[in-house]
Amino acid sequence: MSDLTPDEAFLTIYADLAREGPGAAADVGWALSVAATPAQARICDAGCGSGADTVTLAKERPLAQIEAVDKITQFVEAARRRTAPFGARVQVREGDMADLSGPYDLIWCAGAIYFLGVSEGLRLWRKALAPSGAVAFSEPCLLPRPSQAALAFWAAEYPQITDVAGIRARVAAAGYRVLGEQMQVGDAWEAFYVPMGKRIAKLRPEASGALSEALDKAEAEIARWKAAPSEIAYALMVVAPE
Ligand SMILES: C[S@@+](CC[C@H](N)C(=O)[O-])C[C@H]1O[C@@H](n2cnc3c(N)ncnc32)[C@H](O)[C@@H]1O
């Protein structure tokens, strides 16, 4: 496969993956419970990707109205296919998660708030929250005492990366308080990287140009994580306005 643009190469790798970042269904349930999200909640899955967590949210809250938003058509179409069995109470739309109107009892955002910035995203979403509403988001997070190699790699990938204290500070700067937090390690990363590793192996023999470069980059990320899985996490934060 040649002559792809970098964007097309990215979408080729991500086609048919079950999710587009680390995460686990059990963590969705944990966040709903920490946020005390009611049975008949209005929930937004912001940056839903192909809808892995939209499906879990719909199963966990069978009476809830769920709106999922993503800016990439390929992901929106995949999420629509996966959530079709839930009928009209789950709506997936193509749009900008910076522009949510709500009101929502929960804004769930797995591995996507970094596109806005944690403080910026939380500030933008405040007006979209119902009274007593909460935001649950996951954010790349350095674990204590990372090696120089890990620090250099993850900071090059994402210059704003911090440890959990840095994430708490960004939450506080937006005028929110932390209701609960947990580190996503192990299973949550395997759920993302194992299928991606298989996808890379499938695409590699025919790859050249931009696709080959994108595969190299994805492979390097998986290798870095495998070399030191105790140095990087996704922090799953459940937060509410002060
Ligand atoms: C790392 S993926 C995570 C997807 C999904 N939440 C998951 O965990 O599998 C980040 C997603 O955020 C979406 N995204 C980034 N910026 C966005 C924006 N401004 N509005 C809507 N979606 C956005 C991307 O298209 C992508 O699907």
Side-chain angles (χ1 to χ4, degrees), residues 13-228:
I13 296 179
Y14 279 81
D16 300 329
L17 290 186
R19 58 179 312 123
E20 291 72 42
D27 297 335
V28 177
W30 172 84
L32 286 164
S33 136
V34 170
T37 306
Q40 301 197 331
R42 295 149 299 179
I43 298 174
C44 179
D45 185 353
C48 62
S50 62
D53 295 336
T54 320
V55 168
T56 307
L57 288 163
K59 286 182 180 163
E60 289 276 341
R61 287 292 181 275
L63 301 177
Q65 294 292 326
I66 299 173
E67 185 185 337
V69 185
D70 203 280
K71 67 174 186 178
I72 294 183
T73 310
Q74 174 176 307
F75 294 149
V76 169
E77 287 171 354
R80 279 195 185 131
R81 283 193 296 276
R82 288 170 90 175
T83 57
F86 299 103
R89 75 182 182 90
V90 179
Q91 295 288 326
V92 184
R93 72 175 170 87
E94 189 168 330
D96 187 351
M97 66 180 176
D99 187 21
L100 301 180
S101 42
Y104 302 111
D105 299 291
L106 181 73
I107 298 174
W108 167 264
C109 183
I113 199 171
Y114 65 85
F115 286 101
L116 305 177
V118 169
S119 301
E120 294 79 359
L122 292 176
R123 282 192 198 105
L124 282 170
W125 291 342
R126 194 173 186 131
K127 66 176 184 338
L129 287 176
S132 313
V135 179
F137 71 89
S138 62
E139 167 75 358
C141 178
L142 291 167
L143 291 172
R145 295 173 295 283
S147 63
Q148 274 309 312
L151 199 55
F153 182 89
W154 296 112
E157 288 283 304
Y158 179 40
Q160 290 78 21
I161 196 167
T162 64
D163 59 8
V164 70
I167 298 174
R168 287 184 202 128
R170 284 178 274 161
V171 168
Y176 281 67
R177 69 186 191 286
V178 175
L179 303 178
E181 66 185 41
Q182 69 169 8
M183 291 298 142
Q184 297 180 293
V185 291
D187 290 356
W189 288 68
E190 279 175 24
F192 176 44
Y193 281 153
V194 171
M196 183 183 270
K198 289 184 182 155
R199 182 94 183 123
I200 293 170
K202 189 174 169 196
L203 291 169
R204 183 65 86 183
E206 306 293 323
S208 61
L211 181 58
S212 199
E213 283 171 28
L215 293 176
D216 290 348
K217 191 167 183 299
E219 210 162 45
E221 188 181 312
I222 297 174
R224 179 66 249 164
W225 172 72
K226 276 191 182 156

